[in-house]
Amino acid sequence: MRGTGLFHCVAAACLWAAPTSLFAASAAATASANIVVPITIINTSGLAFGDIQSGASAGTVTLEADGSRSATGGSLLVPGSSGALATFSVSGDPGATYSITLPDSATLADGSGNVMVVSGFTSAAGATGQLGADGTESLAVGATLQINAEQPVGTYSGTFQVTLDYN
Amino acid sequence: MKVSPRFACRILGGVVLVGLAGPVSAADTATANATATIITPIAIATDTDLAFGELAAGTGGTVTVDTAGARSVTGDVTLVSASSGAAAGFTVTGQDGYTYTITLPASATLSGPSGASMTVDGFTSNPNGTGTLAGGTQSVSVGATLNVGNNQTAGVYTGSFSVSVDYN
């Protein structure tokens, strides 16, 4: 008899998981009330380093998180072109803080076998962001492009990922 | 104490429902594009040197070579018609369709015999100020004005000047 009782018990537990179960009006209701809005991140614009002249020596072009662009080494910026930070729209629980996980590196390719590496990703918010009172926040990300000496002329593109999680 | 089957049910049910609340902390990831364009470096090469030709200096004046190479004088300077002047010619190469700024010197000095010198100024270019690299190349011609002194010492005078180009 005891074994049969336990069997029924397991069956009832399974039913309990269904929202319509009479048994569900217990601690489970409190738990669902605590569910926060899931954090979401949507990419709204890409990272653009703009036009660059490659020289006889390697160089870098950095897009700072404040949007400024600078070059080092043998690489020269083309003043008429501008860079742009990647921007993301974050939404979630109002006022909540979240961790920002940036990639270590990404690779840009021209489709003809030539590549450049992007590293040094930074966000304007640092490693931790905070959602506004309306549950949204915008996030800007910059990085450093490494240009090889005599980098072949062309348009290079690639992708990178940004991950957020509640703290 | 003997646990009733019903009590056991509550515990099991609670475990299941807490499990449903698990996705609360789910992270989210977005993918962004990153782009960069390497363009052809801008370069300038000299094709033709600036030449004012032969002239006779009287009490002084100026000789101007325009960007087409035509000469004109002011003051008491006489051109030797058998000689000809020439505008300086340059070829600029770079990224197709891009514009660039042309920077000319304010002046240059030509040195002649026995420490004599003349000043060249009034540099002009065609195109002037800004050029466009249609097809990735453009020719730039440069003229200027030579200032000839009173009884300027006879001889050959030479000097150099620089023209700079940079992408806008």
Side-chain angles (χ1 to χ4, degrees), chain A residues 9 28 47 51 80 154 156 163 165, chain B residues 9 17 25 29 32-33 36 38 98 168:
Chain A
C9 173
L47 183 66
D51 291 344
Y156 294 72
T163 298
D165 199 358
Chain B
C9 285
L17 290 168
S25 64
T29 296
N33 289 320
I38 303 294
Y98 277 53
N168 285 323

Side-chain angles (χ1 to χ4, degrees), chain A residues 21-83:
Chain A
S21 169
L22 292 174
F23 290 125
S26 65
T30 301
S32 64
N34 286 338
I35 291 175
V36 296
V37 181
I39 193 165
T40 61
I41 177 170
I42 297 170
N43 175 233
T44 46
S45 67
L47 183 66
F49 289 97
D51 291 344
I52 299 156
Q53 294 184 79
S54 172
S57 58
T60 67
V61 169
T62 297
L63 277 170
E64 302 287 356
D66 65 4
S68 63
R69 190 169 68 131
S70 60
T72 66
S75 301
L76 293 173
L77 300 175
V78 177
S81 79
S82 57

Side-chain angles (χ1 to χ4, degrees), chain A residues 2 9-10 12-13 16-17 23 28 35-36 39-41 43 46-54 78-80 88 108 116 145 147 151-166, chain B residues 2-14 16-18 20-43 93 95 98-99 165-168:
Chain A
R2 180 186 176 89
C9 173
V10 170
W16 214 346
F23 290 125
I35 291 175
V36 296
I39 193 165
T40 61
I41 177 170
N43 175 233
L47 183 66
F49 289 97
D51 291 344
I52 299 156
Q53 294 184 79
S54 172
V78 177
F88 300 86
L108 307 189
M116 292 187 283
L145 175 69
I147 301 116
Q151 185 75 43
V153 170
T155 299
Y156 294 72
S157 62
T159 62
F160 66 97
Q161 293 188 323
V162 177
T163 298
L164 307 183
D165 199 358
Y166 283 125
Chain B
K2 182 176 181 181
V3 176
S4 73
R6 186 182 177 92
F7 183 62
C9 285
R10 286 183 182 277
I11 293 169
L12 282 169
V16 169
L17 290 168
V18 168
L20 287 176
V24 162
S25 64
D28 195 24
T29 296
T31 300
N33 289 320
T35 58
T37 303
I38 303 294
I39 67 169
T40 306
I42 195 165
T93 56
Q95 188 76 11
Y98 277 53
T99 64
V165 291
D166 199 1
Y167 283 120
N168 285 323

